Amino acid sequence: MTEEFPKRIFFFNDAEFAIEGKASAHEIDHVRRAFSQVARYIKSPEVSVIDYQLCRLNFKTALKPAYYDEVICLGGKGLSLYDKVRHLLTADRVRQLKIKRVFEDESLDGFDFGMAMTPADHAELETITAKRVLVVDDVIYTGRTLDYVLGRISGSNAISILTMVVMEETRDQLDRPLFAGLIIPGGPWSGRGEEQDLWCFRDLIESDAVVYSTGKSQSFIEREDIMKRYLFGDDYGAVSSIIGEIRHLFQ
């Protein structure tokens, strides 16, 4: 196995955000400790941890009360984020898209994926015209998921975007009003010599972080080959054990 650790990893604790409001204080503290432990096993020379609470604080200054005709939440994570800030926003309609990244190649070589969305969601997006629209996505990395959705919404709409974390280069390419809890300098890592990458703690834990065209799904921690190659090397076993202690909170 060839190890490919980028020089810098941004590691985001979106797991705490996922269980806030339904987990006990003790359970949330357990997740925070697990996140800190896992971060110490990442093999990249520089590891920058991103705390959800920092993003939440930044939202308080970035967001102002506003009205939207339509709020479109990308998946359950997008809806969870909107629920955190809905007291600041007024919307005629809030809808959640059931959208998945689908990997054709189970080797995950290059992490190339397509998008899957229900025919009903496709049809609904096409009916939105001449509206003030807010699209909510928890993390914007390469922007491919967002591009897929925006490509199905009429250009007659005035579209803004809300996210917890976005890569600076991706934000610049969007060319739309964007509210973010944190902007990470630079751009996403393609595995071809770039300096940095972003990993979300939740993707290591949740059972459907990786969906294949066969219908099979996995968490990234179940992909020992990928975890050893890009993040943890020979410490994969220790990390798997730590995550195993908290996975039940994300069922």
Side-chain angles (χ1 to χ4, degrees), residues 13-191:
N13 186 13
D14 58 341
E16 178 183 341
F17 154 74
I19 62 173
E20 186 180 56
K22 62 182 180 181
S24 68
H26 172 75
E27 289 169 333
I28 291 175
D29 187 57
H30 192 179
V31 169
R32 287 176 181 163
R33 291 198 309 272
F35 172 75
S36 296
Q37 290 173 314
V38 170
R40 288 196 288 269
Y41 282 114
I42 294 174
K43 298 303 181 185
S44 295
E46 186 176 351
V47 179
S48 296
V49 297
I50 304 171
D51 184 53
Y52 158 60
Q53 296 299 334
L54 172 63
C55 294
R56 187 176 185 177
L57 180 64
N58 289 345
F59 273 133
K60 291 182 178 179
T61 57
L63 273 180
K64 305 297 182 186
Y67 164 79
Y68 296 94
D69 298 296
E70 299 268 354
V71 173
I72 300 171
C73 302
L74 304 193
K77 295 178 182 179
L79 183 60
S80 295
L81 175 56
Y82 177 70
D83 284 341
K84 298 293 187 294
V85 298
R86 67 164 60 235
H87 62 285
L88 290 170
L89 306 173
T90 304
D92 284 347
R93 180 169 182 178
V94 178
R95 58 179 105 202
Q96 175 188 344
L97 297 185
K98 295 178 180 177
I99 185 167
K100 294 287 186 184
R101 301 171 299 180
V102 180
F103 294 87
E104 294 289 340
D105 179 5
E106 290 199 20
S107 75
L108 299 185
D109 183 36
F111 295 96
D112 291 327
F113 59 86
M115 306 305 305
M117 188 165 60
T118 68
D121 282 342
H122 271 286
E124 283 207 22
L125 290 182
E126 291 172 357
T127 66
I128 302 172
T129 57
K131 304 286 188 182
R132 285 174 50 87
V133 179
L134 179 68
V135 179
V136 186
D137 197 3
D138 63 325
V139 175
I140 301 174
Y141 185 53
T142 64
R144 286 180 59 186
T145 305
L146 193 60
D147 285 344
Y148 177 80
V149 172
L150 295 180
R152 283 148 183 82
I153 302 175
S154 168
S156 68
N157 295 289
I159 300 173
S160 300
I161 300 162
L162 173 67
T163 188
M164 283 194 286
V165 176
V166 63
M167 305 300 291
E168 180 182 36
E169 291 180 8
T170 304
R171 177 206 62 179
D172 293 344
Q173 293 165 7
L174 290 172
D175 193 30
R176 296 178 187 274
L178 181 142
F179 306 98
L182 186 68
I183 299 169
I184 296 176
W189 187 57
S190 68

Side-chain angles (χ1 to χ4, degrees), residues 179-206:
F179 306 98
L182 186 68
I183 299 169
I184 296 176
W189 187 57
S190 68
R192 293 186 292 272
E194 282 78 357
E195 298 291 306
Q196 64 185 27
D197 199 3
L198 166 69
W199 281 86
C200 296
F201 194 28
R202 198 166 170 177
D203 281 339
L204 303 188
I205 301 168
E206 294 189 335

Side-chain angles (χ1 to χ4, degrees), residues 188-234:
W189 187 57
S190 68
R192 293 186 292 272
E194 282 78 357
E195 298 291 306
Q196 64 185 27
D197 199 3
L198 166 69
W199 281 86
C200 296
F201 194 28
R202 198 166 170 177
D203 281 339
L204 303 188
I205 301 168
E206 294 189 335
S207 60
D208 62 348
V210 189
V211 178
Y212 305 103
S213 58
T214 59
K216 173 181 153 186
S217 62
Q218 290 181 302
S219 64
F220 268 108
I221 201 61
E222 294 175 272
R223 287 299 304 261
E224 180 175 352
D225 55 336
I226 298 298
M227 295 290 92
K228 283 186 172 182
R229 182 177 181 180
Y230 293 103
L231 283 177
F232 305 117
D234 291 338

